[in-house]
Amino acid sequence: MTTITVATATLEGTAGPLADGVAHFTSASNGQSAFVVIDGMGHDPAIVDLVPAMARNAARAGARKGAVSGLLAAGEDVADPGPLTDDESRPDAVGAIVVTRPDGSVEVAWTGDTRVYHWNGRVLTLWTSDHNFAAYLNKSVGTAQSVPVGALADIVTLTLARISAYAVPLMCKAAGGLVIIASDGAYGQHDAEEPQRSLPEYQAEHLATLVRRHQDNPQALVEAIVAGARPDADGYRDDATALVVAWT
């Protein structure tokens, strides 16, 4: 019998109150489980207050109706956030959801730069592609080294406030091994002592090293992932959130 274990960890960044959310839920009606990470944009009170509910709502809707429905439920929360003060910008967020299916596969849906990785016991594979201007230019140019990733990664091209049922990327994958959902603050490590290496290359190698070391202990893995978040040259460090689903 297959057992599913879930582990989560979050580390608040340096810019203000935590604006990441994480949730998981199993439906009593169909037995499906949903796992969600939401990354709020900015740290205004409106988004800080909304993000925990967004994650819970996405997990509940996703477990009952599928991954796309889960993200759409989160999108509804930012579509009508209620009254805002003059100092608050309209709240928005990005996120990713993984939902188990009766046939043993999983659905994956996402927006923005929240990532979903898979570990098969040997190789770490990035399942998702970032929805930001850096990723778009990398694909167009054909080489990551030629694009100023750090400057363009924050220009997100698909957010939860902008999605519709026709604009949610969705894939189905075989379940098993480990699935990792991570906010950009969790996977966005950078080694300033190795400037000759590309940032995506370093991120992938760093995360794969952590997975190899902790693949048998999901809680230790998520804690190691968020603990590895590093500040930039100006001392800024983003919120870092990771969720791991393990099939044994």
Side-chain angles (χ1 to χ4, degrees), residues 33-216:
S33 297
F35 311 93
V36 177
V37 169
I38 300 292
D39 182 358
M41 299 172 67
H43 295 271
D44 284 347
I47 192 61
V48 169
D49 291 343
L50 275 175
V51 160
M54 292 173 69
R56 291 192 300 268
N57 291 342
R60 286 179 174 271
R64 293 194 306 270
K65 300 179 180 180
V68 171
S69 294
L71 285 192
L72 290 176
E76 286 296 315
D77 289 328
V78 285
D80 187 5
L84 301 173
T85 67
D86 293 339
D87 296 330
E88 290 181 311
S89 58
R90 189 170 187 83
D92 205 348
V94 297
I97 181 171
V98 174
V99 179
T100 61
R101 291 163 50 98
D103 63 2
S105 65
V106 292
E107 289 184 351
V108 181
W110 75 101
T111 66
D113 51 9
T114 305
R115 292 183 180 176
V116 181
Y117 294 86
H118 179 251
W119 173 256
N120 66 3
R122 303 181 310 277
V123 178
L124 184 69
T125 303
L126 176 61
W127 275 353
T128 56
S129 55
D130 294 346
H131 301 132
N132 58 31
F133 201 44
Y136 169 77
L137 287 182
N138 281 338
K139 184 176 180 180
S140 299
V141 173
T143 172
Q145 287 86 340
S146 61
V147 176
V149 174
L152 300 175
D154 289 336
I155 305 176
V156 179
T157 56
L158 184 63
T159 69
L160 289 170
R162 303 176 199 167
I163 62 170
S164 69
Y166 305 101
V168 179
L170 175 70
M171 65 176 68
C172 291
K173 295 285 188 177
L178 303 177
V179 168
I180 303 162
I181 312 176
S183 67
D184 65 330
Y187 66 73
Q189 280 67 251
H190 179 51
D191 192 342
E193 296 179 359
E194 299 190 46
Q196 74 277 11
R197 302 173 64 202
S198 71
L199 181 56
E201 177 188 6
Y202 176 79
Q203 291 168 345
E205 290 187 10
H206 176 84
L207 186 56
T209 298
L210 294 180
V211 175
R212 290 189 193 97
R213 186 178 303 158
H214 301 291
Q215 60 184 302
D216 296 324

